[in-house]
């Protein structure tokens, strides 16, 4: 499984907005599934431990993939491999995607969350080291999802 992150599109052959049957055709059955009733809407996580990523389907958007999280050291964003980087390294390495900014609402004493808002990408740091990268579905100014084209970008 390729872990090439394409902002606002997905990762490898996994596209934001995919349905469960589409995901099954691409990567097969998940290793385990979790359900969470988040603010009155069901969110289902499919975890692929063998590939080091998770996908999240949200009920409020026809059970499409709205979030992809990878913990793989082979995850590539642009020319950088952010897993294992320190925050200052990531800021320099990812500047082609805009300013990497700390999100104080999500961060706490032990975890720092940085985002690239223009790319809909987030990075989670524990003890100053990047542990995961997430690619979120983009919402427009009206709060509506804008799904990427089905064709994978070059």
């Amino acid at each position: 499984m390729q872990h090439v992150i394409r902002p606002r599109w997905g990762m490898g052959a996994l596209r934001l907005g995919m349905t469960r049957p589409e995901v099954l055709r691409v990567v097969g059955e998940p290793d385990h599934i979790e359900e969470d009733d988040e603010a009155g809407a069901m969110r289902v996580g499919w975890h692929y431990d063998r590939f080091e990523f998770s996908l999240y389907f949200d009920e409020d958007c026809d059970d499409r993939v709205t979030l992809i999280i990878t913990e793989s050291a082979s995850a590539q964003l642009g020319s950088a491999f952010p897993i294992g980087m320190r925050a200052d390294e990531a800021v320099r390495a990812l500047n082609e995607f805009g300013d990497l900014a700390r999100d104080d609402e999500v961060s706490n004493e032990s975890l720092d969350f940085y985002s690239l808002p223009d790319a809909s990408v987030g990075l989670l740091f524990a003890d100053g080291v990047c542990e995961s990268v997430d690619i979120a579905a983009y919402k427009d100014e009206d709060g509506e999802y804008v799904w990427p084209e089905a064709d994978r970008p070059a």
Side-chain angles (χ1 to χ4, degrees):
M1 171 74 210
Q2 274 192 334
H3 287 86
V4 177
I5 298 165
R6 293 174 177 84
R8 290 197 181 178
W9 193 89
M11 181 182 74
L14 297 168
R15 176 181 40 83
L16 294 162
M18 289 178 101
T19 63
R20 292 178 197 209
E22 289 172 322
V23 169
L24 289 171
R25 281 192 296 277
V26 173
V27 290
E29 293 287 337
D31 295 318
H32 64 279
I33 297 172
E34 70 173 320
E35 293 183 355
D36 183 26
D37 186 6
E38 197 168 286
M42 185 61 68
R43 173 175 263 190
V44 177
W46 283 13
H47 303 284
Y48 292 85
D49 298 336
R50 64 192 181 273
F51 298 129
E52 299 180 279
F53 70 81
S54 297
L55 306 174
Y56 292 88
F57 300 85
D58 285 331
E59 177 184 64
D60 68 349
C61 62
D62 300 326
D63 281 329
R64 293 179 177 273
V65 174
T66 58
L67 182 65
I68 302 168
I69 299 176
T70 182
E71 297 174 344
S72 173
S74 67
Q76 182 177 355
L77 178 57
S79 60
F81 294 85
I83 303 295
M85 281 186 168
R86 302 203 58 79
D88 58 334
E89 294 172 312
V91 166
R92 285 190 302 275
L94 300 173
N95 66 4
E96 69 186 275
F97 298 103
D99 291 330
L100 186 64
R102 185 174 189 272
D103 186 332
D104 292 329
E105 289 184 27
V106 179
S107 299
N108 59 41
E109 290 178 15
S110 59
L111 298 173
D112 290 308
F113 186 78
Y114 286 78
S115 65
L116 292 161
D118 293 339
S120 296
V121 170
L123 293 89
L124 183 67
F125 292 82
D127 297 322
V129 177
C130 184
E131 288 193 342
S132 67
V133 177
D134 68 60
I135 309 99
Y138 174 70
K139 287 186 177 183
D140 66 16
E141 59 277 351
D142 297 324
E144 299 293 322
Y145 285 103
V146 178
W147 301 115
E149 296 294 324
D151 293 334
R152 186 169 25 166

